[in-house]
Amino acid sequence: MALKGFLALALAGVFGCSASAPDACAPAQLPDQTPASASDPRVELSYAGELTQGGFIRGRAPSSAVAVTLGDQTLALSEDGRFFAAFDRDAPSSLALSATLDDGSVESETIAISPRAWQISRVAVPKRSGGTSEAWWKKREPEWNAIVDA
């Protein structure tokens, strides 16, 4: 499957739309927001999502925002100021969400991220002994020489 198709399916799962009808996959409206327009009076940073380890956040930046960061990561902004980010399995208990505005001011908010109980399985695999042995090299030297000669 092509990368574009994979991304469409992944986004369809996140946003709850059908990959077979991509036009129906419009970004969901955040609470108390109307669609963006050229005269959009937004002045506050807004967001919604699953604020837990392994969760996500999507939101909209103020119309005068030039950059949005979550922790130390700069988020990509769409033309109408929408952004999306996901939290790592080991995300800290809080992260700063900041929007830098075109006048140089910064609007910031601390987001509390709830922990999640992950069931992590570890597989005990014995490590191989390091280095090469004389017997191994004696067996592989003809192959190595054939590769070098080729």
Side-chain angles (χ1 to χ4, degrees), residues 7-19 22 24-30 48-49 56-59 82-85:
L7 290 174
L9 288 175
L11 289 173
V14 170
F15 292 108
C17 55
S18 169
C25 192
Q29 293 299 313
L30 294 174
F56 67 92
I57 183 174
R58 60 182 167 202
R82 294 179 191 269
F83 59 86
F84 178 86

Side-chain angles (χ1 to χ4, degrees), residues 24-120:
C25 192
Q29 293 299 313
L30 294 174
D32 302 325
Q33 288 188 335
T34 57
S37 68
S39 61
D40 192 352
R42 286 180 288 132
V43 292
E44 293 183 10
L45 185 61
S46 60
Y47 62 90
E50 188 179 335
L51 306 178
T52 185
Q53 292 174 333
F56 67 92
I57 183 174
R58 60 182 167 202
R60 286 184 50 194
S63 53
S64 60
V66 294
V68 173
T69 57
L70 180 62
D72 61 355
Q73 294 286 347
T74 301
L75 304 180
L77 285 175
S78 68
E79 289 181 14
D80 65 351
R82 294 179 191 269
F83 59 86
F84 178 86
F87 302 116
D88 187 72
R89 179 189 77 192
D90 298 320
S93 60
S94 65
L95 283 171
L97 177 65
S98 302
T100 304
L101 308 180
D102 58 5
D103 65 0
S105 63
V106 176
E107 187 177 321
S108 186
E109 186 171 336
T110 300
I111 297 176
I113 302 168
S114 63
R116 195 181 258 182
W118 297 95
Q119 294 182 358
I120 299 173

